[in-house]
């Protein structure tokens, strides 16, 4: 993954692409929780590890079975609901960081009830972060820097998060919910525009679902599900006017403004079936349809003591309601001879959606296994991301084409034993091509801005991972390389805001039956990003230096108790993530060395 933590949420992408995570489809227990407004995989501190059983990551286009927004890949967070465990976990750390999580799983004959609830809060106001934000040369280079409030005592960066997962199962029927609420400052990115600390943001979503598992025979089984997704976003900001001749923060004219979007709603019906012809041949087919209503953007502005409500004129009001229908199918067959096998899979999805073009999305793969320890896989896939309500701003025509992605991948995996050490390796060579970027272009004749479709972006990449285990040791080594580092939008080429190569190394040692010590080293190559010039005249290319950091975890785990200490950034390295979304701020300082204490009790 490529990401840049700007101290609010986690923008980024997969396989050399970056932005607002709109190319990654976010699922919780297989159900989509993608942001309806901007198609974002919205990742904050609302995904504590205590909530998660495992994380499944699919790299590359996966729209055939998963639908829109899976252009770069899929992240499926599997919660601990139904895992049979009951646990209370607590964490305390620096910067007034606190976390609590409760997990309850109960079974009574055919009835199963599960609940997972968490709370997180943190001031996130490290001294190093305050100093960095108040340094215009290093941080922002915005035209507004000369009149920003540079008093570090006025900087805030606090966050609160609540999550709730619940599910009830009875004889094949189930009902459940995923709820998330957050209150935070909109990251240090917003400081350059809000003059002092960033917007105060409140957002949340809930996804309620009801369904049943159906088994007509050993060969035919499936599921039917209805869900209701609702989200909202509220923001308080300090809006500022800069009078002519203003030279300091005290010269500004400021007033409070509130901006609400939503609530937005989605009603969805899905059904998926699998028919097993025999042990080596099967079909998967299904239908996915929904009705979405995007909540309107409303601003509350205090003008001379009177509250004025208005919607920005560029808001695409006629695009607020839309309907989507999709049907899909996949066929798989395995051919066997001796110890060898060849598996063929081919699938196709047809997607029809208001305000954008219909799409046929194929995916096919061949997997050859010489034996159980080795496999070679060749895959081709296509995916799409439909436009958002924001991207319809300034659109001249009624429709925008969807962004598309094509991928060809060669994958090799192998497990083996060498001198008593167990190894498992996987490597992937891939080519990705993205088309149809949305760009706002000034019409020189009419003198107005318009949204146009333009550009393409190609990536050639290599990903490898080696896992190993021997006696009391286990670990992994991973490497990623991509080429080239440019993208074309219209007639312009620009530097890509991701490192060409990354290296990760993790190691765990069992001190005895209960004590463990773990370390994880992370290295990112230098990154080149477009940034504002010091003189305020245009932009130039800025180098974000390469960095390496180490995290350590020492903990004891018994049948009921677990406690330990986690040290982030052990050597207190100063390192930065580049800004993949704009020319200012240039980069984001990451966390200095900090310590967290963890305790959990299973009951």
């Amino acid at each position: 993954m490529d990401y840049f933590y700007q101290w609010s949420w986690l923008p980024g992408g997969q396989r050399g692409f970056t932005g607002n995570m709109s190319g990654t489809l976010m699922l919780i227990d297989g159900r989509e929780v993608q942001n309806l407004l901007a198609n974002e995989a919205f990742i904050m501190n609302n995904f504590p590890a205590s909530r998660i059983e495992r994380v499944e990551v699919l790299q590359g286009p996966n729209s055939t079975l998963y639908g829109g927004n899976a252009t770069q890949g899929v992240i499926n967070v599997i919660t601990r609901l139904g895992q049979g465990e009951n646990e209370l976990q607590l964490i305390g750390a620096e910067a007034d960081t606190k976390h609590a999580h409760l997990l309850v799983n109960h079974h009574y004959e055919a009835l199963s009830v599960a609940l997972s609830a968490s709370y997180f809060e943190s001031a996130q106001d490290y001294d190093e972060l305050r100093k960095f934000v108040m340094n215009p040369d290093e941080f922002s280079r915005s035209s507004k820097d000369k009149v920003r409030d540079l008093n570090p005592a006025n900087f805030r960066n606090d966050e609160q998060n609540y999550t709730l997962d619940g599910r009830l199962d009875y004889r094949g029927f189930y009902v459940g919910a995923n709820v998330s609420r957050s209150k935070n400052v909109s990251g240090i990115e917003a400081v350059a525009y809000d003059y002092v600390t960033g917007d105060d943001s409140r957002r949340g979503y809930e996804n309620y679902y009801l369904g049943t598992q159906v088994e007509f025979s050993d060969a035919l089984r499936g599921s039917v599900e209805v869900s209701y997704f609702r989200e909202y976003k509220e923001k308080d900001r300090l809006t500022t006017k800069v009078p002519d001749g203003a030279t300091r923060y005290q010269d500004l004219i400021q007033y409070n403004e509130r901006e609400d979007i939503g609530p937005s709603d989605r009603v969805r019906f899905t059904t998926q079936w699998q028919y097993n012809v025999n042990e080596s041949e099967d079909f998967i087919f299904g239908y996915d349809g929904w009705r979405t209503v995007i909540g309107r953007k409303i601003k509350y502005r205090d003008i001379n003591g009177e509250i004025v409500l208005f919607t920005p004129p560029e808001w695409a009001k006629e695009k607020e309601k839309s309907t989507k229908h999709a049907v899909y199918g996949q066929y798989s067959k395995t051919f066997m001879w001796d110890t060898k096998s060849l598996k063929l899979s081919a699938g196709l999805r047809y997607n029809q959606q208001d305000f954008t073009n219909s799409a046929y999305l194929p995916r096919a793969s061949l997997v050859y296994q010489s034996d159980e320890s080795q496999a070679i896989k060749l895959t081709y896939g296509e995916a799409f991301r439909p436009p958002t309500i924001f991207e319809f701003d300034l659109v001249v025509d009624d429709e925008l084409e969807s962004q598309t992605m094509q991928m060809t991948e060669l994958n090799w995996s192998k497990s083996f034993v060498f001198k008593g050490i167990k190894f498992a390796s996987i490597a992937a060579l891939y080519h990705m091509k993205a088309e149809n970027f949305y760009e706002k272009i000034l019409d020189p004749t009419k003198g107005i801005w318009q949204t146009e479709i333009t550009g393409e972006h190609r990536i050639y990449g290599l990903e490898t991972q080696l896992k190993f285990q021997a006696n009391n040791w286990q670990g992994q080594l991973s490497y990623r390389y991509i080429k080239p580092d440019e993208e074309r939008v219209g007639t312009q080429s620009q530097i890509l805001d991701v490192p060409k190569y990354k290296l990760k190394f993790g190691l765990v040692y069992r001190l005895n039956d209960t004590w463990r010590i773990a370390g994880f080293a992370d290295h990112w190559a230098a990154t080149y990003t477009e940034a504002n010039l010091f003189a305020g005249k245009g932009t130039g290319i800025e180098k974000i230096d390469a960095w390496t950091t180490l995290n350590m975890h020492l903990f004891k785990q018994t049948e009921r108790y677990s406690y330990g200490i986690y040290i982030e950034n052990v050597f207190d390295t100063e390192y930065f993530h580049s800004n993949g979304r704009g020319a200012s701020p240039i980069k984001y300082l990451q966390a200095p060395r900090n310590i967290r204490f963890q305790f959990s009790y299973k009951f």
Side-chain angles (χ1 to χ4, degrees):
M1 303 287 295
D2 288 295
Y3 54 88
F4 45 103
Y5 185 45
Q6 41 90 315
W7 297 92
S8 172
W9 57 290
L10 199 67
Q14 294 175 258
R15 289 204 155 170
F17 295 88
T18 189
N20 64 346
M21 282 284 190
S22 61
T24 295
L25 183 64
M26 190 78 197
L27 309 175
I28 297 180
D29 291 331
R31 296 173 183 87
E32 182 178 340
V33 291
Q34 203 84 350
N35 179 308
L36 294 178
L37 293 169
N39 288 339
E40 296 162 334
F42 214 81
I43 302 173
M44 306 175 68
N45 288 302
N46 55 348
F47 286 97
S50 53
R51 183 189 184 191
I52 299 171
E53 174 67 20
R54 67 183 185 276
V55 180
E56 301 170 344
V57 179
L58 301 179
Q59 296 277 38
N62 277 274
S63 282
T64 304
L65 290 182
Y66 292 93
N69 303 106
T71 56
Q72 299 167 19
V74 179
I75 299 176
N76 185 19
V77 175
I78 308 297
T79 67
R80 298 173 67 190
L81 299 181
Q83 299 297 323
E85 295 181 318
N86 301 304
E87 183 184 62
L88 173 66
Q89 185 173 91
L90 304 172
I91 291 178
E94 298 178 64
D96 294 326
T97 302
K98 306 176 187 67
H99 165 70
H101 178 261
L102 176 66
L103 174 69
V104 178
N105 286 281
H106 179 70
H107 299 272
Y108 179 75
E109 296 181 349
L111 179 66
S112 174
V113 180
L115 177 70
S116 170
S118 72
Y119 172 75
F120 171 88
E121 71 171 35
S122 178
Q124 301 187 138
D125 59 349
Y126 302 103
D127 289 338
E128 295 88 342
L129 192 62
R130 290 174 178 267
K131 293 176 182 177
F132 170 68
V133 168
M134 298 306 164
N135 183 340
D137 291 344
E138 283 296 311
F139 168 62
S140 175
R141 299 189 193 170
S142 167
S143 60
K144 302 176 180 180
D145 284 331
K146 64 180 181 180
V147 292
R148 275 207 298 127
D149 182 357
L150 298 179
N151 181 359
N154 291 335
F155 172 68
R156 292 184 296 106
N157 196 38
D158 52 293
E159 178 178 341
Q160 291 180 322
N161 267 294
Y162 307 83
T163 66
L164 177 67
D165 305 307
R167 180 172 169 125
L168 186 150
D169 290 81
Y170 182 74
R171 299 187 185 279
F173 293 90
Y174 59 87
V175 60
N178 303 109
V179 179
S180 177
R181 294 282 186 272
S182 67
K183 179 181 179 182
N184 68 336
V185 179
S186 296
I188 64 176
E189 179 182 54
V191 172
Y193 310 105
D194 201 16
Y195 294 90
V196 55
T197 195
D199 307 322
D200 290 306
S201 176
R202 297 172 296 279
R203 66 178 76 235
Y205 65 79
E206 56 247 31
N207 188 43
Y208 303 100
Y209 56 90
L210 169 68
T212 181
Q213 303 285 343
V214 182
E215 184 173 341
F216 286 113
S217 65
D218 291 339
L220 180 61
R221 65 189 65 187
S223 63
V224 179
E225 183 173 294
V226 178
S227 63
Y228 172 69
F229 185 85
R230 183 178 178 88
E231 70 179 14
Y232 71 93
K233 179 181 179 182
E234 301 171 352
K235 183 184 293 185
D236 293 315
R237 59 157 52 105
L238 190 63
T239 302
T240 303
K241 292 182 179 180
V242 183
D244 293 338
T247 59
R248 54 178 187 159
Y249 180 71
Q250 289 75 12
D251 296 333
L252 302 179
I253 299 173
Q254 297 182 314
Y255 54 91
N256 291 317
E257 183 178 75
R258 176 171 164 178
E259 176 185 284
D260 291 357
I261 305 179
S264 301
D265 305 89
R266 180 187 68 205
V267 178
R268 188 170 191 170
F269 174 80
T270 59
T271 181
Q272 180 170 297
W273 298 84
Q274 182 169 355
Y275 176 66
N276 297 314
V277 179
N278 50 51
E279 292 184 355
S280 62
E281 187 175 9
D282 66 73
F283 292 89
I284 295 175
F285 52 94
Y287 167 81
D288 183 7
W290 71 43
R291 174 68 170 172
T292 302
V293 179
I294 301 295
R296 185 163 297 180
K297 178 188 286 189
I298 299 177
K299 290 190 174 185
Y300 301 73
R301 182 170 294 174
D302 187 344
I303 300 178
N304 297 325
E306 180 181 357
I307 303 298
V308 177
L309 280 63
F310 67 98
T311 296
E314 67 273 14
W315 186 257
K317 302 180 182 66
E318 71 281 4
K319 306 295 193 304
E320 291 175 328
K321 298 180 180 180
S322 63
T323 302
K324 187 197 87 169
H325 301 280
V327 291
Y328 59 91
Q330 177 177 284
Y331 170 74
S332 297
K333 184 174 178 60
T334 303
F335 302 91
M336 303 284 298
W337 64 97
D338 298 328
T339 61
K340 303 176 179 63
S341 68
L342 179 67
K343 183 177 181 180
L344 166 67
S345 297
L348 181 67
R349 184 186 191 97
Y350 171 73
N351 192 90
Q352 186 278 323
Q353 192 163 331
D354 292 338
F355 312 124
T356 188
N357 54 305
S358 299
Y360 291 91
L361 305 164
R363 183 177 174 88
S365 67
L366 282 171
V367 182
Y368 171 72
Q369 287 189 260
S370 57
D371 53 53
E372 292 183 352
S373 67
Q374 180 174 251
I376 299 174
K377 181 180 181 182
L378 179 64
T379 303
Y380 174 80
E382 296 183 11
F384 80 110
R385 181 182 78 79
T388 69
I389 189 73
F390 299 110
E391 289 160 340
F392 276 115
D393 290 1
L394 311 176
V395 172
V396 177
D397 301 324
D398 289 337
E399 293 189 356
L400 275 176
E401 291 186 39
S402 294
Q403 294 183 6
T404 61
M405 182 79 75
Q406 299 176 4
M407 178 196 74
T408 303
E409 177 182 321
L410 179 63
N411 187 293
W412 174 74
S413 58
K414 174 75 174 178
S415 61
F416 58 96
V417 179
F418 179 74
K419 293 187 177 182
I421 304 175
K422 297 179 181 179
F423 290 92
S425 67
I426 187 169
L429 284 168
Y430 57 88
H431 168 246
M432 308 266 285
K433 179 184 177 182
E435 293 182 301
N436 296 347
F437 291 94
Y438 303 130
E439 185 181 16
K440 294 184 178 181
I441 299 175
L442 179 64
D443 187 320
T445 303
K446 299 180 180 179
I448 61 174
W449 291 87
Q450 298 180 359
T451 299
E452 295 187 7
I453 301 289
T454 182
E456 67 178 38
H457 180 186
R458 295 174 182 264
I459 286 288
Y460 296 87
L462 166 68
E463 294 175 356
T464 67
Q465 184 178 69
L466 177 68
K467 294 185 177 182
F468 53 91
Q469 182 175 350
N471 298 323
N472 294 333
W473 295 90
Q474 68 182 60
Q476 69 172 36
L477 177 66
S478 303
Y479 176 78
R480 193 283 304 272
Y481 175 80
I482 61 169
K483 180 183 182 301
D485 63 346
E486 290 187 352
E487 67 178 8
R488 181 176 62 83
V489 179
T491 60
Q492 302 295 318
S493 294
Q494 61 188 44
I495 299 297
L496 186 67
D497 300 278
V498 296
K500 282 188 174 182
Y501 70 88
K502 297 166 64 175
L503 186 69
K504 296 174 180 286
F505 178 69
L507 194 63
V508 180
Y509 180 68
R510 291 167 47 196
L511 300 172
N512 53 40
D513 290 341
T514 58
W515 281 98
R516 307 281 191 277
I517 184 169
F520 195 93
D522 203 348
H523 175 79
W524 287 31
T527 308
Y528 293 89
T529 184
E530 187 178 13
N532 288 331
L533 299 176
F534 278 113
K537 298 179 181 179
T539 61
I541 301 303
E542 180 84 10
K543 180 182 178 181
I544 310 299
D545 291 335
W547 53 265
T548 303
T549 189
L550 175 68
N551 302 329
M552 299 289 293
H553 192 190
L554 175 65
F555 62 101
K556 181 174 183 177
Q557 187 169 7
T558 66
E559 184 176 349
R560 289 189 176 272
Y561 293 94
S562 174
Y563 51 87
I565 181 172
Y566 179 86
I567 306 174
E568 182 180 13
N569 194 355
V570 173
F571 298 116
D572 203 18
T573 303
E574 184 180 73
Y575 68 105
F576 304 89
H577 285 177
S578 65
N579 183 357
R581 298 203 305 155
S584 181
I586 301 169
K587 55 188 179 181
Y588 302 107
L589 178 69
Q590 299 304 291
R593 179 171 56 222
N594 61 95
I595 301 174
R596 305 171 196 172
F597 296 94
Q598 160 215 328
F599 169 80
S600 69
Y601 170 65
K602 294 182 179 180
F603 56 93

